């Protein structure tokens, strides 16, 4: 049960026309989509969630590829959510964007669009399995611009074959489009993805770590010069356009996830996870089974140590870092003393700063080795 007035709602749409090489999110083929049945199941799960009434929330439809959904599905989601929605985001692929769809998304209440562009170099897009070209991405952006005043673009660096020069070209294109928000991710080789199998078989070579670090530095430098603030390790925005929904994750606020593979958190210590299995999800929520017989939900109760480690990991991702007074109120004086002792070497090395103002935050050099710093603070 979500027990606070401010909360997030995430809808996982698991359907894709084609899976990207690097993707490890749960997804299945678009041909398996029964949109009416899926919407009915989502409504039943939502009704069983015991949400607080009336409080403001954020709504985020991700996937998968939500832009494959018929517009009436998106409108049905908004109709389902009775609370005041301050930010309503939908993830889209460029090749799904049309003037008609864009206008209908807006009419359904969407006020923020996150588009997965990744690169503006066609060779790089083809390699990672994206369905669009650079030209199509820019055309899709121009269509969205007519309907939305808050557009976010995804960018990836560290792609096989990518160079500083091709990354500069993509950055120039992104900055020229002037989106309100940019998410810039380093390519990750997740287990059980096609990309990892290609690397492990020797068919592709992973970009050297020092080159990836250089690319991250270039992204941060160019976006800062263009007026974007890095408010989280991978996220940049113009003032006033931080993602409210994603920021709530990093702040430990409650959220509910609906759909196969979605996660929920009550803002205290209970996590809930739906099995990544559409058939099981539809059998559980799409029929007449009683809520106490639902078999696709897994519950985890976090220990105090797990809460502490998660707090360190999520707060350090944000530019503001760890608030020391808040940390002490949550975990006690002894834990505060311990984290400050653990932080001292990283402060001396210039990776952490802000103690004098009551925070511990990653510096630019600390961001480059954030995993090392986070583990060191544990």
């Amino acid at each position: 049960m979500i027990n606070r007035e401010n909360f997030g709602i995430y809808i996982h749409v698991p359907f894709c026309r084609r899976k990207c090489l690097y993707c490890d999110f749960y997804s299945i083929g678009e041909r398996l989509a029964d949109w009416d049945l899926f919407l009915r199941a989502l409504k039943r799960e939502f009704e069983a969630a015991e949400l607080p009434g009336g409080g403001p929330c954020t709504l985020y439809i991700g996937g998968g590829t939500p832009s494959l959904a018929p517009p009436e599905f998106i409108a049905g989601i908004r109709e389902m959510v009775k609370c005041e929605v301050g930010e309503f985001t939908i993830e889209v692929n460029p090749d799904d964007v049309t003037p008609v769809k864009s206008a209908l998304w807006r009419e359904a209440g969407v006020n923020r669009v996150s588009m997965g562009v990744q690169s503006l170099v066609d060779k790089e897009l083809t390699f990672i399995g994206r369905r669009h070209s650079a030209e199509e991405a820019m055309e899709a952006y121009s269509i969205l611009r007519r309907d939305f005043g808050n557009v976010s673009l995804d960018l990836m660096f560290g792609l096989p074959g990518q160079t500083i020069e091709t990354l500069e070209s993509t950055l120039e294109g992104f900055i020229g489009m002037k989106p309100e928000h940019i998410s810039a991710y380093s390519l990750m080789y997740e287990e059980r993805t096609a990309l990892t199998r290609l690397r492990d078989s020797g068919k592709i070579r992973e970009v050297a770590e020092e080159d990836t670090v250089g690319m991250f530095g270039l992204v941060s430098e160019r976006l800062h010069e263009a007026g974007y603030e890095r408010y989280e390790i991978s996220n940049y925005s113009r003032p006033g356009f931080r993602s409210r929904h994603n920021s709530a994750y990093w702040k430990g606020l409650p959220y509910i996830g609906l759909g196969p593979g979605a996660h929920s958190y009550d803002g205290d210590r209970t996590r809930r996870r739906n099995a990544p299995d559409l058939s099981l999800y539809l059998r559980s929520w799409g029929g007449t089974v009683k809520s106490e017989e639902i078999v696709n939900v897994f519950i985890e109760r976090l220990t105090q140590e797990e809460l502490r480690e998660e707090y360190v990991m999520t707060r350090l991702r944000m530019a503001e870092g760890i608030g020391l007074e808040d940390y002490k109120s949550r975990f006690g004086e002894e834990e505060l003393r311990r984290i400050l002792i653990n932080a001292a070497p990283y402060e001396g090395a210039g990776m952490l700063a802000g103690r004098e103002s009551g925070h511990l935050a990653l510096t630019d050099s600390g961001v480059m080795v954030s995993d090392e710093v986070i583990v060191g603070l544990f």
Side-chain angles (χ1 to χ4, degrees):
M1 176 177 176
I2 306 295
N3 56 16
R4 298 183 188 176
E5 287 189 355
N6 297 288
F7 59 96
I9 301 170
Y10 173 78
I11 311 290
H12 186 72
V13 176
F15 308 111
C16 281
R17 192 160 291 157
R18 184 172 69 199
K19 197 173 183 75
C20 298
L21 291 181
Y22 54 81
C23 181
D24 71 333
F25 292 111
Y26 173 63
S27 65
I28 57 177
E30 179 192 12
R31 62 183 178 80
L32 299 174
D34 182 332
W35 295 104
D36 291 338
L37 177 59
F38 185 43
L39 181 59
R40 289 200 300 272
L42 289 169
K43 288 180 176 179
R44 289 201 70 219
E45 186 183 13
F46 182 76
E47 290 166 358
E50 300 180 22
L51 297 175
C57 67
T58 58
L59 177 57
Y60 194 108
I61 305 181
T65 312
S67 51
L68 292 174
E72 54 267 26
F73 175 87
I74 307 301
I77 293 294
R78 181 61 188 94
E79 182 181 346
M80 173 186 82
V81 176
K82 303 300 183 184
C83 64
E84 175 191 344
V85 178
E87 180 187 85
F88 182 1
T89 303
I90 181 174
E91 292 181 352
V92 306
N93 274 9
D95 45 310
D96 296 326
V97 176
T98 66
V100 171
K101 272 193 169 184
S102 179
L104 289 172
W105 292 331
R106 184 195 62 210
E107 290 177 15
V110 174
N111 57 19
R112 182 177 184 271
V113 177
S114 176
M115 186 164 68
V117 176
Q118 318 309 358
S119 171
L120 291 176
V121 176
D122 286 343
K123 184 178 180 180
E124 294 170 359
L125 290 169
T126 300
F127 178 82
I128 59 177
R130 302 298 290 174
R131 292 187 278 123
H132 63 272
S133 66
E135 182 178 356
E136 288 168 334
M138 290 185 284
E139 173 60 24
Y141 179 81
S142 69
I143 292 171
L144 293 173
R145 259 289 162 246
R146 300 165 197 164
D147 294 311
F148 298 98
N150 191 354
V151 178
S152 177
L153 302 180
D154 284 358
L155 176 151
M156 295 189 79
F157 58 92
L159 303 174
Q162 190 177 45
T163 65
I164 288 291
E165 290 73 26
T166 61
L167 178 58
E168 284 181 327
S169 175
T170 290
L171 280 169
E172 181 180 344
F174 270 52
I175 292 169
M177 286 188 281
K178 300 181 180 179
E180 284 70 31
H181 188 281
I182 295 174
S183 296
Y185 303 106
S186 174
L187 179 67
M188 302 298 293
Y189 288 77
E190 305 288 356
E191 292 183 18
R192 297 183 298 276
T193 63
L195 183 72
T196 298
R197 291 194 294 272
L198 287 172
R199 181 199 64 184
D200 293 347
S201 66
K203 294 181 179 178
I204 63 169
R205 181 178 298 178
E206 191 170 348
V207 174
E209 183 178 355
E210 59 268 27
D211 293 334
T212 301
V213 169
M215 290 179 178
F216 177 81
L218 175 66
V219 169
S220 295
E221 178 184 352
R222 291 295 171 82
L223 294 184
H224 175 73
E225 292 172 351
Y228 293 88
E229 59 171 350
R230 181 176 57 77
Y231 69 98
E232 191 271 343
I233 285 179
S234 302
N235 287 275
Y236 304 76
S237 76
R238 297 193 182 280
F241 287 96
R242 293 185 179 191
S243 169
R244 291 168 56 186
H245 183 87
N246 290 334
S247 293
Y249 293 156
W250 304 315
K251 293 176 180 177
L253 297 178
Y255 57 90
I256 179 167
L258 308 174
H263 293 241
S264 303
Y265 177 53
D266 70 350
D268 184 14
R269 61 173 67 237
T270 302
R271 292 201 176 280
R272 175 179 175 274
R273 176 175 61 87
N274 289 346
D277 185 325
L278 178 67
S279 296
L280 181 58
Y281 180 80
L282 293 177
R283 289 202 303 273
S284 296
W285 293 110
T288 59
V289 66
K290 296 179 181 178
S291 60
E292 61 267 22
E293 298 172 346
I294 298 299
V295 296
N296 75 324
V297 176
F298 304 90
I299 306 296
E300 178 186 14
R301 184 82 172 170
L302 299 176
T303 66
Q304 189 69 4
E305 183 68 10
E306 288 170 333
L307 283 173
R308 187 183 67 81
E309 292 185 355
E310 189 167 285
Y311 181 96
V312 171
M313 181 176 65
T314 56
R315 297 313 191 279
L316 269 191
R317 289 190 65 89
M318 303 188 71
E320 292 80 6
I322 297 170
L324 297 179
E325 280 300 315
D326 184 53
Y327 188 87
K328 182 173 73 171
S329 70
R330 290 170 183 262
F331 306 109
E333 184 76 41
E334 181 59 27
E335 284 297 339
L336 176 63
R337 186 185 70 82
R338 187 162 75 90
I339 197 173
L340 289 175
I341 290 173
N342 290 344
Y346 299 104
E347 291 176 288
M351 299 176 186
L352 284 172
R355 185 188 297 215
E356 65 283 353
S357 61
H359 289 78
L360 284 177
L362 292 168
T363 63
D364 288 344
S365 61
V367 167
M368 303 290 189
V369 289
S370 58
D371 289 347
E372 173 191 338
V373 178
I374 289 169
V375 171
L377 293 185
F378 288 169

